[in-house]
Amino acid sequence: MNKFEQLGLNESLLKAILDLGFENPSEVQEKAIPLLLEKDTDMVALAQTGTGKTAAFGFPLIQKIDADNRNTQALVLSPTRELCLQITNELKNYSKYEKGINVVAVYGGASITEQAREIKRGAQIIVATPGRMQDMINRGLVNIKNIDYCVLDEADEMLNMGFYEDIVSILSDTPDEKSTWLFSATMPQEVARIAKQFMSEPVEITVGTKNSGSSTVSHEFYLVNARDRYEALKRLADANPDIFSVVFCRTKRDTQAIAEKLIEDGYSAAALHGDLSQAQRDGVMKSFRGRQIQMLVATDVAARGIDVDNVTHVVNYQLPDEIETYNHRSGRTGRAGKLGTSIVIVTKSELRKISSIERIIKQKFEEKTIPSGIEICEIQLLHLANKIKDTEVDHEIDNYLPAINNVLEDLSKEELIKKMVSVEFNRFIAYYKKNRDISAQSSGERRERGDSEPREFNNNGAVRYFVNIGSRDNFDWMSLKDYLKETLDLGRDDVFKVDVKEGFSFFNTDPEHTDKVMDILNNVQLEGRRINVEISKNDGGGRRDHNNRGGRRDSGRREGNFAPRREGSGGFRGDRNSSPRREGSGGGFRGERNSAPREGGFRRNEGGSDRAPRRSESFGDSPRPRRPRRD
Ligand code: ADP
Ligand code: MG
């Protein structure tokens, strides 16, 4: 008797399982299946991605459905079209030896009448995305008033995508006597609330640890059009001023080309690939370790085993041919217990690879939007302000102060601040002011709601805020949302589009909460630190009328006041990637990388020790924004 038999599964399922090649049940299957088969109970099952949850509910569901009855008996809700199709397909596989069971997938972006027709023919099981399901109910195309089972698959993800209301509404259309099975990787408050509201004494199953990803690496993808790949890379770098990253390309040629472009655009980058000599590679690695390089553009082979600590981001500029390779790439960050982010820049046609990778890494990706120019300006501006604040003063400068004071004495403190910031910042504003939004529209299914719609519609009327707390304060989007709701005494849907960065975050509310947000948040402290919240000019494209960050406006107006020399010498870039001290201490990478970009973005001189300090001044980073893309 094999292990699946012991769980109480019937002949036809066991046969199907044999075909599937499953030898032993996974932990969640072992725990859930007997319970679900035995009695009609509600269940909450928490298990990471890739632990076999589909079969954990799918096997018992198939066994319990009455195949002779053509009425709809079960509804499975799932967050995306892709998952919806995947589950449908799995359920069909499980039931292939069980005559008469029909499983129909219901999801947006396909003909609703065709789906309705399929249901009419008799579908015992409907697998649906919440949005489309709600649509069908509204149009009276489906009847779920007599179902026996309702499965909420990936409940956290569904709620994360803003399906709360749809779910509530759909559930209230189902009978009270049904059994509800909720599957989720994590248990945020919203999920707990659904469970509390719609389930009665659910059995709880937990596999692995609650609420924690197994690793310190979080995975994000950004959907762009193929032609915007490079621009997206630059923006991601700009949106993460302290980025220290390995950027993966597929071929040596791309690796070389991207590194060169980055260098040309003013980033501290270098290429690492097999066409470099050993000495050149050593030199690159030495500079990378020494942090003179912020973006190491590498091939998979060349980057194998790179063991540099504190890499903040792995960027998959292109996905690897073999998706298994992804694991090796993302393992370059999140080392030694540090947090890291693995980013994938992806085009629509590659989207399905994301799901395959999710299965391999047993973790979910978060879909993110390429930051808008305004968002980047905000990030950079704050970064600059913090830099000014944290700068240690070398008292050599005291000798020059009388002369400097002479020039600046008529300026008020406010003016001085504005001007100082503008020195560094005008270029960013000028560059990003005219730049378009490059986020491609989502597949519309992977994120059926939320980000899939053009943000204009999404954010309509909402107010976006900028707040000076972030992942550094141990927040992620869920905990920050919770914190804001609690602190502001707002309802569950009142805070949305929470986007957590390292030192700060963005979030949205409807305008009626603005006074509350500004009053309360600006007067609370977090572990002794004052929270500062501002209305962000960046509303994700919907509203452009919040403009009370006068500083930026002013600095924008003053754009062009500076001599070109000024810009060329020691701009924003230089400071952000290495301290002046570093530059002084031997030219660093900046001199090198410009001297021979065609050598892998690295100087021809090998070894990296005989730097040319003379050169560094003339390479005072030209700010990237001065070189907008040609296309
Ligand atoms: P989850 O929903 O927990 O993310 P899935 O149900 O999608 O996970 O399963 C992940 C993968 O594992 C699928 O490819 C599935 O076919 C496979 N799988 C599930 N159960 C087993 C098992 N008992 N033995 C082997 N493979 C399994
Ligand atoms: Mg699943």
Side-chain angles (χ1 to χ4, degrees), residues 4 20-26 28-29 47-57 59 83 86 90 94 153-154 359 364:
F4 281 107
L20 288 165
F22 295 1
E23 284 173 6
N24 290 304
S26 69
V28 68
Q29 292 163 4
Q48 293 295 313
T49 307
T51 50
K53 294 192 285 295
T54 318
F57 66 77
F59 291 167
L83 273 170
Q86 202 174 304
E90 295 260 310
Y94 304 165
D153 191 29
E154 313 242 12
R359 241 178 274 160
K364 282 273 173 211

Side-chain angles (χ1 to χ4, degrees), residues 204-274:
E204 268 196 50
I205 289 179
T206 306
V207 171
T209 44
K210 251 189 205 180
N211 246 346
S212 73
S214 50
S215 120
T216 52
V217 181
S218 53
H219 302 265
E220 302 175 346
F221 74 88
Y222 293 81
L223 188 60
V224 300
N225 296 315
R227 70 190 150 93
D228 289 328
R229 222 183 260 275
Y230 178 67
E231 177 70 19
L233 176 64
K234 288 202 302 177
R235 287 205 189 183
L236 290 170
D238 287 345
N240 294 282
D242 291 319
I243 195 169
F244 181 52
S245 61
V246 184
V247 179
F248 284 96
C249 294
R250 220 161 9 211
T251 65
K252 289 183 217 170
R253 247 181 81 196
D254 288 344
T255 302
Q256 182 67 33
I258 297 303
E260 282 180 21
K261 267 198 197 179
L262 285 172
I263 292 161
E264 197 181 308
D265 284 340
Y267 296 81
S268 57
L272 187 73
H273 55 70

Side-chain angles (χ1 to χ4, degrees), residues 599-627:
E599 302 295 307
F602 200 61
R603 68 211 194 96
R604 213 171 293 254
N605 291 348
E606 289 163 4
S609 55
D610 56 335
R611 291 168 183 151
R614 276 166 293 117
R615 306 190 84 151
S616 64
E617 56 176 299
S618 59
F619 294 115
D621 289 337
S622 58
R624 289 146 297 154
R626 281 171 60 218
R627 300 171 190 263

Side-chain angles (χ1 to χ4, degrees), residues 557-569:
R557 232 182 279 136
R558 247 172 237 136
E559 173 204 341
N561 271 355
F562 297 94
R565 252 178 309 128
R566 196 50 164 311
E567 292 199 18
S569 63

Side-chain angles (χ1 to χ4, degrees), residues 122-307:
Q124 292 97 339
I125 305 177
I126 295 175
V127 185
T129 53
R132 174 55 65 97
M133 191 64 201
Q134 183 60 54
D135 235 15
M136 293 206 114
I137 294 172
N138 291 345
R139 300 201 205 175
L141 296 173
V142 63
N143 176 9
I144 51 170
K145 291 204 167 7
N146 298 309
I147 61 170
D148 301 311
Y149 307 99
C150 181
V151 182
L152 304 174
D153 191 29
E154 313 242 12
D156 50 354
E157 192 68 3
M158 285 197 283
L159 294 167
N160 178 5
M161 290 167 60
F163 282 132
Y164 181 87
E165 257 137 33
D166 287 321
I167 292 172
V168 166
S169 156
I170 292 166
L171 286 179
S172 57
D173 222 39
T174 61
D176 288 342
E177 310 79 54
K178 72 178 181 304
S179 299
T180 305
W181 306 343
L182 185 152
F183 286 78
S184 193
T186 60
M187 192 72 178
Q189 273 183 19
E190 281 103 329
V191 176
R193 197 175 294 131
I194 289 264
K196 208 167 144 201
Q197 219 174 325
F198 290 97
M199 300 171 80
S200 67
E201 295 169 35
V203 194
E204 268 196 50
I205 289 179
T206 306
V207 171
T209 44
K210 251 189 205 180
N211 246 346
S212 73
S214 50
S215 120
T216 52
V217 181
S218 53
H219 302 265
E220 302 175 346
F221 74 88
Y222 293 81
L223 188 60
V224 300
N225 296 315
R227 70 190 150 93
D228 289 328
R229 222 183 260 275
Y230 178 67
E231 177 70 19
L233 176 64
K234 288 202 302 177
R235 287 205 189 183
L236 290 170
D238 287 345
N240 294 282
D242 291 319
I243 195 169
F244 181 52
S245 61
V246 184
V247 179
F248 284 96
C249 294
R250 220 161 9 211
T251 65
K252 289 183 217 170
R253 247 181 81 196
D254 288 344
T255 302
Q256 182 67 33
I258 297 303
E260 282 180 21
K261 267 198 197 179
L262 285 172
I263 292 161
E264 197 181 308
D265 284 340
Y267 296 81
S268 57
L272 187 73
H273 55 70
D275 284 353
L276 304 179
S277 71
Q278 184 60 46
Q280 282 172 324
R281 270 182 282 168
D282 291 348
V284 171
M285 282 312 297
K286 193 171 173 209
S287 298
F288 187 55
R289 283 210 174 79
R291 298 241 181 175
Q292 284 107 333
I293 296 170
Q294 277 191 290
M295 303 174 84
L296 179 68
V297 190
T299 57
D300 287 300
V301 177
R304 194 166 286 164
I306 287 181
D307 60 340

